[in-house]
Amino acid sequence: MEKLGVEFYQRQDTVQLARELIGKIIVTRFDSFTTSARIVETEAYNGIKDRASHAFGGRHTNRTRIMYLPGGTIYVYLCYGIHHLFNVVTNVADEPHAVLIRSAVGMKGMDTILNRLGKSSLKHDLLKGPGVVSKGLGITIAATGTSLLDNQIALHDDGYEVNTASLIATPRIGVDYAGEDALLPYRFVNSTTIGLK
DNA sequence: CGACCGATCGTCT
DNA sequence: GACGATCGGTCGA
């Protein structure tokens, strides 16, 4: 079990990186509660030429400035006024690439995860959906701009390997406004994980 | 089951 | 002032 280092995040190929994040483990520590979950679904947002990205065309606002920070930074933003979506900034500084974490499978601290979600029964798809991943792991917009190299939120590699045949690529969800970029196969899913297609 | 709809607010125009 | 990189509840079949 080792923490991913800055050299992992600062590579240039964000689409490949999104693929490699499948199977990695998110570990969060808040208020002495540790929770962890294995990533099973991601989406790549591939820089200023990607119409689906908040940073398309080099858009630089108070919200998106986080995406221009170096790879390994955490980008969280509020969606639909309710959901805190957790993204991993990739590539070097001033190249605004990111990977959205869409789904995971809980590992440690299941009682804490259930509490945060207001649920009582364990289901394999408990952390399916980007808003739910953040909620279950305690990640909020307060974490935007902080680093994955710190200990509050980090990603780990425990040697788990995804069977290549079960790792599928599809278009991204909910980006119809992005024109033909909406068709790019930038979403990755570990299809052996039950409940995700 | 699947389809629909309301929630809720920061961000950008 | 409009609109989301969404979710969960409800309703009808």
Side-chain angles (χ1 to χ4, degrees), chain A residues 68-85:
Chain A
Y68 292 80
L69 295 174
T73 301
I74 292 164
Y75 175 48
V76 184
Y77 74 93
L78 192 62
C79 183
Y80 293 97
I82 304 173
H83 307 291
H84 298 250
L85 303 206

Side-chain angles (χ1 to χ4, degrees), chain A residues 27-103:
Chain A
V27 181
T28 69
R29 288 179 241 277
F30 295 106
D31 304 323
S32 83
F33 290 105
T34 297
T35 50
S36 71
R38 192 182 303 284
I39 297 169
V40 299
E41 183 185 1
T42 63
E43 279 178 3
Y45 285 85
N46 202 24
I48 64 173
K49 62 187 186 304
D50 180 356
R51 298 192 98 85
S53 171
H54 291 162
F56 172 67
R59 204 159 80 229
H60 210 300
T61 67
N62 189 50
R63 177 176 67 157
T64 64
R65 76 188 162 80
I66 303 301
M67 298 183 77
Y68 292 80
L69 295 174
T73 301
I74 292 164
Y75 175 48
V76 184
Y77 74 93
L78 192 62
C79 183
Y80 293 97
I82 304 173
H83 307 291
H84 298 250
L85 303 206
F86 171 47
N87 295 253
V88 174
V89 175
T90 65
N91 214 314
V92 296
D94 295 322
E95 282 291 337
H97 292 222
V99 176
L100 170 66
I101 308 302
R102 290 192 57 89
S103 298

Side-chain angles (χ1 to χ4, degrees), chain A residues 104-172:
Chain A
V105 174
M107 297 175 76
K108 282 191 193 161
M110 294 309 295
D111 49 343
T112 303
I113 292 174
L114 286 170
N115 262 334
R116 287 176 180 144
L117 296 176
K119 304 242 169 130
S120 52
S121 66
L122 284 171
K123 286 213 63 186
H124 64 272
D125 63 351
L126 199 61
L127 297 177
K128 177 178 173 177
V132 179
V133 169
S134 300
K135 191 173 182 186
L137 297 179
I139 300 169
T140 72
I141 201 164
T144 198
T146 63
S147 175
L148 287 164
L149 305 176
D150 295 342
N151 284 323
Q152 209 166 44
I153 305 170
L155 299 185
H156 292 250
D157 183 354
D158 68 345
Y160 173 90
E161 293 201 19
V162 185
N163 173 1
T164 24
S166 63
L167 182 52
I168 59 177
T170 79
R172 293 169 290 186

